[in-house]
Amino acid sequence: MNINLLCVGKIKEKFYREAIDEYTKRLSKYCSVKIIEVADEKTSENASDTEIQIVKDKEGERILKAIGERDFVIALAILGKQMDSVAFSNYIEDLGIRGKSTISFVIGGSLGLSDMVLKRADYQISFSKMTFPHQLMRVVLLEQIYRAMRIMKNEPYHK
C-alpha cells in the first residue's frame, strides 16, 4: 500500500520534523509513505472572506495537481466523519482489499481546504471538532496510520 500525505506548507519546527521522521520510519515496515508539500499562500491577519477564498483556491489548485488520477483521496476536514482507531484501521484495510493501492490524505493550510479539494476527496475524516495546527496534524495522522497498521497485523500497541 502507498500512503501519500499532501500538505500545505513546510514544517519549520524541529520537534515536528523529528516526530514525522520517526513515524515515517516506523511505517516503512508496513507501507510506502510519501509526504508531498505544496506551497502555502501568505495571508494577512485581517484578510477578507474574498481574500481567504482566493488563498484556499490557490493552495487547492496546487494540491489537486499533486493528486494522482487513481489515488483514493481522504481529506482531513472538521465536518468529516469521526471514528475511533479500530474503525479507522478497518477502513484503511477495506480500501486495500477493494484494490485502492494509493491513499492520499490531504491536510490543508491554516485556512483549511478549498471546495475544489473537498469535492475531489473520496472521503472526509475529522479527528475532532477542535481546530489543530496543520503541522501537528501531520504527526497525529502519521501516528494514527501507524496505529492502524499495527491493529491490522494484530500487533500490540499502547491503548
Side-chain angles (χ1 to χ4, degrees), residues 12 17 26 33 46-47 60-61 66 69 78 91 104 132 137 147 157-158:
K12 297 171 184 75
R17 284 195 316 265
R26 289 182 187 190
V33 177
N46 54 355
E61 288 171 8
E69 190 177 306
I78 289 175
Y91 186 74
S104 289
F132 295 98
M137 280 315 301
R147 184 180 294 267
Y157 195 79
H158 185 270

Side-chain angles (χ1 to χ4, degrees), residues 1-3 70-75 83 87-105 122-125 149 152:
M1 179 172 285
N2 301 305
I3 303 287
R70 294 177 171 253
D71 292 8
F72 188 88
V73 178
I74 300 176
M83 58 183 86
F88 181 66
S89 177
N90 291 338
Y91 186 74
I92 300 301
E93 184 174 33
D94 184 60
L95 289 175
I97 291 168
R98 292 185 1 222
K100 306 298 181 188
S101 61
T102 301
I103 302 171
S104 289
F105 290 91
D122 297 295
Y123 199 71
Q124 295 179 28
I125 61 172
M149 296 296 172
M152 277 183 233

Side-chain angles (χ1 to χ4, degrees), residues 72-83 88 91 104-106 113-127:
F72 188 88
V73 178
I74 300 176
L76 274 65
I78 289 175
L79 298 177
K81 175 147 174 66
Q82 292 185 12
M83 58 183 86
F88 181 66
Y91 186 74
S104 289
F105 290 91
V106 181
L113 292 168
S114 72
D115 290 339
M116 296 179 296
V117 173
L118 294 173
K119 285 178 186 167
R120 169 58 181 91
D122 297 295
Y123 199 71
Q124 295 179 28
I125 61 172
S126 171
F127 282 85

Side-chain angles (χ1 to χ4, degrees), residues 4-8 63 67 73-77 104-108 113 117 121 141:
N4 295 329
L5 265 64
L6 302 173
C7 312
V8 174
I63 290 168
I67 294 173
V73 178
I74 300 176
L76 274 65
S104 289
F105 290 91
V106 181
I107 301 173
L113 292 168
V117 173
L141 176 58

